[in-house]
Amino acid sequence: MKAIALFSGGLDSTLAMKLIIDQGIEVVAVNISTGFGSTKDRLEHMQNMCKQVGAELKIIDIQNEYLQDVLFSPKHGYGKHFNPCIDCHAKMFAVAKRIMEAEGASFLISGEVMGQRPMSQNKDALQTVLDESNCEGLLLRPMSAKALAPTIPEIEGWVDREKLEGIVGRSRDRQLELAREIGLEDFESPGGGCLLTDENFGKKMVDFIKYDTFEVKDIPVMKFGRHFRLAEGAKLVVGRNKEENEHLQNIQNDKFYHLKTIGIPGPHGLLSKNATQADKELAARAMLTYTKATQDGEYKIAFDGEEVTALPLESREMMQGYTIL
């Protein structure tokens, strides 16, 4: 007997897997990547959680499918920000069902707890996800199973319902108790939840799609740096620290120039390749404003090898009117 688990790396999904593994069932932990989550640290964390409970981890990339089918036309709308949570969950379960069939597994599990998130994990939302993903009966939620209708694995006797949980609501007391009982360590996940639930990230997304068609290659651009929309419509991204500069340097996206200061330490930047001459000049001056450049000298900025001579702006406050975040 094998089950496919929708695995986020969090405590609930880890405990859900453990409850099923303890009943002698093989569990494959599937983390579905939309591009708006996992960092390297989070991947290491997920590997550690799976190792502790005895599950195999697989990462499934659905970025193209997610942009095409979910992000910009969610049937059930967005949450508080740019997060189409119900449609997102339904897509993930539909993908997991495909994996279940390919792996020869018998059912799906998730770590969802009824009532933990009032909008996306209330009883109606949980049922909507089942209906939209065509997973009715196949999806077992071990953490809240006793508060929900029995699923096929329980009805058929593959899983002992009495050994599952009936947690409802936002309290984590029972989860923490279970973690202590099984000796689970380092279960508090590092940062790396869905960026679409973040208000500031949502503002950047709204701005981007106002001016351009959003593609998978644009996702890394959105994750780092100060973001500006310049006077004539170009997008400028300026790194805020060494780590962000390194990430921006590694981005390969033919929509953007790479900007770098010459002869003076400074941030790394990205600028829309359709920028007007006026926006190019403003971008160069803005870049210098985030260095120690002074008004009594001229400096150079490289635009993918092309050099532009500029002076810094009189103050960083002059960029406030162009700031997205």
Side-chain angles (χ1 to χ4, degrees):
M1 183 67 64
K2 182 191 292 188
I4 302 297
L6 269 294
F7 182 60
S8 67
L11 178 58
D12 291 332
S13 55
T14 303
L15 293 173
M17 294 195 303
K18 178 65 172 171
L19 290 171
I20 300 304
I21 290 168
D22 281 352
Q23 296 199 35
I25 295 170
E26 178 186 354
V27 172
V28 178
V30 172
N31 179 263
I32 297 178
S33 173
T34 64
F36 295 97
S38 299
T39 62
K40 179 176 182 292
D41 288 344
R42 190 168 179 82
L43 175 58
E44 292 172 355
H45 172 81
M46 290 191 293
Q47 292 169 331
N48 179 41
M49 291 297 99
C50 287
K51 183 177 180 180
Q52 288 190 64
V53 298
E56 176 190 0
L57 175 64
K58 290 190 176 182
I59 309 295
I60 306 297
D61 187 330
I62 64 162
Q63 292 182 67
N64 280 304
E65 186 175 350
Y66 185 75
L67 293 191
Q68 181 176 336
D69 297 345
V70 178
L71 187 57
F72 301 112
S73 56
K75 179 179 177 181
H76 298 280
Y78 296 101
K80 189 175 180 181
H81 303 300
F82 206 81
N83 49 310
C85 290
I86 293 176
D87 294 82
C88 180
H89 290 163
K91 168 58 72 174
M92 288 186 176
F93 290 128
V95 171
K97 186 180 178 183
R98 298 202 304 253
I99 298 168
M100 180 192 80
E101 293 166 350
E103 289 272 345
S106 301
F107 62 100
L108 305 172
I109 65 174
S110 84
E112 294 166 293
V113 172
M114 187 168 69
Q116 187 175 80
R117 296 191 178 105
M119 294 298 291
S120 62
Q121 290 185 5
N122 61 59
K123 195 165 188 175
D124 288 343
L126 295 181
Q127 184 59 47
T128 298
V129 166
L130 292 178
D131 295 340
E132 294 291 340
S133 61
N134 196 28
C135 288
E136 181 72 57
L138 291 172
L139 176 62
L140 172 61
R141 295 169 167 120
M143 303 303 289
S144 293
K146 291 180 181 178
L148 299 168
T151 57
I152 291 171
E154 298 160 276
I155 294 169
E156 294 295 325
W158 306 338
V159 172
D160 185 348
R161 182 176 170 88
E162 292 306 309
K163 294 180 179 179
L164 305 178
E165 295 292 320
I167 303 171
V168 175
R170 304 183 73 174
S171 172
R172 285 165 53 88
D173 291 347
R174 178 55 181 157
Q175 289 96 315
L176 294 173
E177 182 182 2
L178 285 170
R180 288 193 295 269
E181 287 176 4
I182 66 175
L184 193 65
E185 298 178 350
D186 302 321
F187 53 81
E188 291 296 347
S189 173
C194 181
L195 290 169
L196 296 171
T197 63
D198 180 82
E199 180 180 5
N200 293 332
F201 193 86
K203 290 177 180 177
K204 290 191 288 186
M205 290 294 298
V206 169
D207 171 81
F208 193 104
I209 62 177
K210 182 179 177 180
Y211 291 88
D212 198 353
T213 300
F214 193 86
E215 302 173 74
V216 168
K217 63 184 177 182
D218 299 320
I219 296 175
V221 175
M222 306 299 287
K223 292 183 175 182
F224 308 102
R226 300 178 183 88
H227 285 238
F228 304 96
R229 184 62 64 181
L230 302 185
E232 297 188 357
K235 183 175 188 63
L236 172 66
V237 182
V238 180
R240 290 174 288 200
N241 52 49
K242 180 180 178 182
E243 181 182 4
E244 288 197 337
N245 289 333
E246 290 174 352
H247 281 295
L248 293 174
Q249 284 174 346
N250 291 328
I251 288 174
Q252 296 182 10
N253 187 324
D254 57 9
K255 293 181 180 181
F256 294 92
Y257 294 111
H258 281 266
L259 277 57
K260 187 172 180 59
T261 58
I262 298 174
I264 184 171
H268 195 86
L270 300 175
L271 178 69
S272 305
K273 281 194 175 177
N274 61 2
T276 64
Q277 186 60 35
D279 274 353
K280 283 185 178 182
E281 292 171 1
L282 178 56
R285 298 192 71 189
M287 286 281 290
L288 289 167
T289 306
Y290 292 97
T291 71
K292 293 184 179 180
T294 62
Q295 292 292 313
D296 58 0
E298 287 190 340
Y299 304 88
K300 291 184 178 180
I301 302 290
F303 286 69
D304 282 347
E306 175 190 352
E307 295 184 4
V308 174
T309 301
L311 287 171
L313 296 169
E314 285 77 9
S315 71
R316 294 180 184 179
E317 284 69 29
M318 295 180 69
M319 291 300 295
Q320 287 182 354
Y322 307 115
T323 302
I324 304 167
L325 280 173

